[in-house]
Amino acid sequence: MNKWTRRAFIGAGTITGGGFLLGVAGFALAPSRHSLVADDAAAHGQLTTWITVAPDNTVTILIPHCEMGQGTPTALAMMAAEELEADWALVRVQEAPALDAYANGYIVRAASGDYVPAMLGRGIDYSAFKLAEWFGFQVTGGSTAVRSTGEYGMRVAGAAAKEMLVQAAAAEWGVAASECVAKGSRITHAASNRSATYGELARAAAGQKVPTSPALKAPDGFTLRRTSPGRLDIPAKVNGTANYAIDVTVPGMLYAAISMAPVHGGTLVSVDPAPAEAMPGVKKVVQLKEAVAVVADSFWRARKALAALAPEFTDAGHGGVSTASIFAAFDAAIGAAPEVPAGAAKVVTADYKVPFLAHATMEPMVCTAKVEGDRVEVWTGVQDPLNARKVAAKALDIDVEQVTLTNFLLGGGFGRRLPFTFDYVDLGVRIARAMAPVPVKTIWSRENDIQHDYYRGAALSRHAGALDASGVPLAAHSFYTGGGNGEAVAMPYAIAEKTAEEKEAKHPIRPGQWRSVLNSQHGFFKESFIDEMAHAAGVDPFGFRRALLTGQPRVKAVLEKAAEISGWGTPLPPGEGRGIAICESFGTIVAEVAHVAVSPDGVLKVLHVYAAVDCGDVVHLDGATAQVEGSIVFALSAALLSEITIEGGRVVETNFRDYPMIHLKDAPKVTTAFVRSDAPLGGLGEPCVPPLAPALTNAIHAATGIRVRELPIRKAPLVRI
């Protein structure tokens, strides 16, 4: 393990002036790891926790997750503050630095759920931390932060800190701890009329033994959770003081614009740097194995000079690859439709097709780096700072300890800034090395961003289903390409035969994790097909699904709630229709109803989307609602408009003119209803994406009788011939 010290932690700006430090260099507070730890705790690699109480009574909560618009740091702080009984007005948040001591093992711990015996909890937690540290794991993604770090880290840290403060007050006043009450960042002993702020008790509390099993509040005692205090990140974003990676400025900094091999895997053959180097402000043309960059005194000058170059790249042998060839390979790999039981009264078959998709974050990729000798300082925005630090170290062939990485707010992520997608960090530090010791900010153009993404996979699925004479489904089988897993292909319906089998067909387009990951493809596939089976059976799609949810009370309740809030079954004018779909992913069940209108000449208008969501419980109500709405709009762009196509091995689309997003005027009204259950906390950033596309195409069928089986919908003629 890499050694770190209390001095290093204090240097990160978490505590000054004799405040209360919890979780580092002397204390370890993590799930089932509640014993007092010696001052050399860091040498043993124990997981730290995240709470600082300063003498001025402010509470700083260190968060091992990034802020990329989703509001997670606020929700995590609420979970800690709820247990701590802190005054929310005094709570501050700070992102944990990119140091091994802050590797996040809570996601690993969460995977084991509540099935870990108490006696094994410490070992599980320690192992999870060591794994996270080993792999450099400090990730934000997979809709995991609240249900992992929040549940197993923040709550426990807050509860333990409160008990330590209470014990400190009781000892100072010579009273029983049970007679002391914590509330609003103050401990009170009513019988003696004594009280003290957390800040006043902080120094004494630091000497208390860490409780091994701090008591957590019961949900019916929550006073902060399930409310909507102002998000902690919003004021700075409104007044313009928020800093993103693209805002970074370093004294003496230069700027780089970059052109990469248009075919993934291609290499630079040749480039004449003279045309660019003769232009004003240009400092150097940097030639890399797979790219050429122009470094200048402004990004505008760098990009203008880059356009004057004519680099030649190889195509890595992929020059014949196209969208058509990829889907032809998919089709050949799948072959004939799956077999269904012999003697079925009715057989239903269908193929569904989805394209590659880009992430298209609002903020393009950017990395600023300064290389001095065998050290590098990096300023960027990533979803996993520790892994980004490793990428920088590998690019320069130095030890990871020689890399200092500062992470900033992210202008969107959606999976593009996850581990294994840090090409912009790799390229950025290599360009900076060529200009050392001058710092260089490498900014990707929108064209770079669209044409050199890690794409949501294209996919093709082939389905076959069987119904008996009364319309009861006997089988639902599918073959598919493009990736899948148990969660993505699972159907909750009580159908005797259900299978989903992947057929492999490789291609050179680099894949990435895209919001809701494989669920985005398979949600469309399976919920479109179950709708087709319902219509083949002559049964209302909602009623058909509901009848097949025997033994699935949570799923059934969510489906019914979506139908209820959407007015399912009430009459609609001609040309309008409703479609329904339900998917479970990331521990959350979501049912959505889309209400659409299609004009006689085929113009589609999405009027309203209704979402019913069971994520167990909701921490920040307004933030949770925003995640539902944002997911729906994100998914709507993909379903209606977006498509990445390949020709000559390269991406055709270049910018929003040919990779469009929906505009504000096209956004539907969204109604959200949360269905509270006793299930463990589920995710929210991703689960509302998968049901949207099938709900929308099912609604189009209800309005027009036209079944859309290929996305984006803009390619489908919606006028009946």
Side-chain angles (χ1 to χ4, degrees):
M1 177 180 173
N2 300 315
K3 185 164 180 68
W4 57 281
T5 64
R6 178 188 292 269
R7 182 180 300 277
F9 185 82
I10 295 173
T14 60
I15 182 171
T16 57
F20 170 35
L21 180 65
L22 178 62
V24 180
F27 297 93
L29 272 179
S32 302
R33 198 185 302 117
H34 305 307
S35 60
L36 182 63
V37 180
D39 285 340
D40 63 349
H44 301 296
Q46 288 196 281
L47 182 63
T48 64
T49 45
W50 317 100
I51 295 177
T52 301
V53 178
D56 66 359
N57 211 26
T58 57
V59 175
T60 298
I61 302 175
L62 211 60
I63 304 293
H65 293 281
C66 69
E67 170 57 61
M68 52 185 169
Q70 82 282 32
T72 293
T74 297
L76 293 175
M78 287 175 67
M79 297 177 83
E82 178 76 69
E83 302 294 339
L84 180 58
E85 294 289 1
D87 180 346
W88 181 249
L90 300 174
V91 172
R92 310 288 183 264
V93 293
Q94 179 180 327
E95 183 175 341
L99 297 172
D100 287 346
Y102 306 102
N104 188 355
Y106 291 115
I107 295 174
V108 182
R109 170 64 178 86
S112 58
D114 296 323
Y115 302 104
V116 178
M119 68 181 68
L120 300 179
R122 176 172 178 163
I124 294 292
D125 294 334
Y126 180 75
S127 298
F129 167 67
K130 294 302 290 182
L131 281 171
E133 182 191 41
W134 179 266
F135 289 108
F137 194 67
Q138 198 181 40
V139 72
T140 304
S143 289
T144 54
V146 169
R147 57 192 175 122
S148 60
T149 302
E151 191 67 18
Y152 297 100
M154 295 296 115
R155 290 193 70 194
V156 176
K162 181 186 72 175
E163 290 191 15
M164 295 168 74
L165 288 158
V166 167
Q167 290 290 345
E172 182 174 324
W173 299 334
V175 299
S178 60
E179 298 174 358
C180 298
V181 175
K183 194 71 175 177
S185 291
R186 179 177 287 273
I187 307 295
T188 302
H189 183 252
S192 64
N193 198 30
R194 292 181 179 179
S195 72
T197 68
Y198 287 180
E200 291 167 339
L201 294 166
R203 189 180 297 275
Q208 292 293 318
K209 183 177 180 180
V210 179
T212 56
S213 300
L216 301 180
K217 296 175 71 172
D220 59 7
F222 291 159
T223 56
L224 181 59
R225 289 177 56 166
R226 301 174 178 170
T227 66
S228 298
R231 271 175 48 176
L232 300 175
D233 59 307
I234 295 298
K237 291 176 178 178
V238 172
N239 65 29
T241 60
N243 286 314
Y244 295 81
I246 204 163
D247 298 320
V248 169
T249 57
V250 179
M253 182 178 74
L254 298 174
Y255 299 81
I258 189 167
S259 176
M260 291 164 273
V263 178
H264 177 57
T267 56
L268 179 64
V269 176
S270 65
V271 64
D272 178 7
E277 291 182 341
M279 297 177 72
V282 173
K283 305 300 181 181
K284 189 173 184 178
V285 173
V286 179
Q287 299 181 45
L288 303 174
K289 179 182 177 181
E290 72 280 49
V292 59
V294 174
V295 180
D297 57 9
S298 75
F299 181 64
W300 171 252
R301 283 179 162 179
R303 189 172 183 191
K304 187 177 179 181
L306 184 69
L309 299 179
E312 294 183 24
F313 297 94
T314 69
D315 65 9
H318 304 313
V321 175
S322 67
T323 297
S325 72
I326 291 170
F327 276 98
F330 285 172
D331 183 71
I334 288 178
E339 294 184 358
V340 295
K346 188 172 289 188
V347 175
V348 183
T349 60
D351 288 3
Y352 303 96
K353 183 178 176 181
V354 296
F356 294 105
L357 292 174
H359 295 85
T361 59
M362 183 179 295
E363 178 192 26
M365 304 304 105
V366 59
C367 174
T368 304
K370 181 179 182 180
V371 178
E372 288 189 283
D374 62 352
R375 303 194 64 84
V376 61
E377 189 163 5
V378 179
W379 300 266
T380 189
V382 294
Q383 291 177 239
D384 188 340
L386 286 181
N387 262 302
R389 193 170 65 136
K390 283 189 172 183
V391 167
K394 183 178 180 181
L396 301 179
D397 194 25
I398 59 177
D399 189 86
V400 71
E401 288 300 305
Q402 295 165 283
V403 179
T404 300
L405 187 144
T406 301
N407 203 37
F408 286 81
L409 294 172
L410 280 59
F414 315 124
R416 176 58 178 96
R417 306 179 202 266
L418 281 171
F420 314 113
T421 68
F422 295 149
D423 50 351
Y424 55 101
V425 174
D426 172 77
L427 289 164
V429 298
R430 284 193 281 146
I431 292 168
R433 177 173 56 187
M435 304 302 296
V438 179
V440 180
K441 177 191 284 189
T442 301
I443 302 173
W444 286 34
S445 66
R446 183 60 64 187
E447 288 77 12
N448 291 149
D449 193 49
I450 295 293
Q451 296 192 306
H452 297 278
D453 203 346
Y454 289 78
Y455 301 96
R456 196 290 299 268
L460 177 69
S461 69
R462 185 157 291 152
H463 298 249
L467 302 162
D468 68 14
S470 61
V472 174
L474 304 173
H477 300 301
S478 71
F479 294 148
Y480 63 89
T481 59
N485 58 26
E487 174 183 87
V489 304
M491 299 176 74
Y493 307 113
I495 301 173
E497 293 184 21
K498 292 183 295 184
T499 61
E501 182 180 345
E502 182 174 10
K503 304 291 186 177
E504 189 174 31
K506 294 183 178 180
H507 58 73
I509 309 306
R510 63 183 190 180
Q513 307 301 317
W514 190 87
R515 196 172 188 175
S516 82
V517 200
L518 296 164
N519 295 284
S520 71
Q521 298 100 318
H522 289 280
F524 173 60
F525 298 159
K526 63 192 180 184
E527 280 298 293
S528 294
F529 188 65
I530 201 71
D531 217 70
E532 296 212 41
M533 291 187 70
H535 283 280
V539 179
D540 169 74
F542 161 66
F544 186 79
R545 288 173 170 83
R546 185 185 183 201
L548 297 175
L549 292 176
T550 304
Q552 297 279 356
R554 284 184 66 208
V555 181
K556 184 178 179 182
V558 173
L559 184 77
E560 290 173 340
K561 175 58 72 171
E564 174 193 330
I565 63 176
S566 66
W568 186 273
T570 58
L572 291 174
E576 295 187 17
R578 298 187 188 95
I580 195 166
I582 188 166
C583 298
E584 181 173 1
S585 60
F586 305 95
T588 294
I589 302 167
V590 182
E592 292 174 7
V593 173
H595 176 195
V596 306
V598 183
S599 70
D601 56 350
V603 176
L604 172 67
K605 177 68 176 176
V606 185
L607 303 173
H608 206 134
V609 176
Y610 302 86
V613 181
D614 179 354
C615 55
D617 200 0
V618 174
V619 176
H620 188 279
L621 184 58
D622 184 61
T625 303
Q627 283 295 287
V628 175
E629 295 169 347
S631 295
I632 287 170
V633 173
F634 184 89
L636 192 60
S637 277
L640 289 173
L641 302 170
S642 302
E643 179 182 28
I644 289 294
T645 58
I646 311 299
E647 194 61 51
R650 63 183 65 188
V651 172
V652 173
E653 288 70 28
T654 61
N655 210 312
F656 291 129
R657 59 182 169 271
D658 50 12
Y659 190 80
M661 303 283 183
I662 66 167
H663 295 173
L664 185 60
K665 65 182 178 62
D666 301 315
K669 183 177 181 181
V670 178
T671 297
T672 301
F674 290 101
V675 181
R676 189 180 299 165
S677 70
D678 58 1
L681 288 176
L684 264 179
E686 309 192 68
C688 296
V689 171
L692 189 280
L696 185 54
T697 55
N698 294 341
I700 290 170
H701 180 265
T704 66
I706 298 170
R707 183 64 70 175
V708 178
R709 299 189 179 97
E710 179 180 352
L711 301 179
I713 294 167
R714 64 177 169 84
K715 298 170 64 174
L718 301 184
V719 180
R720 190 181 297 277
I721 299 175

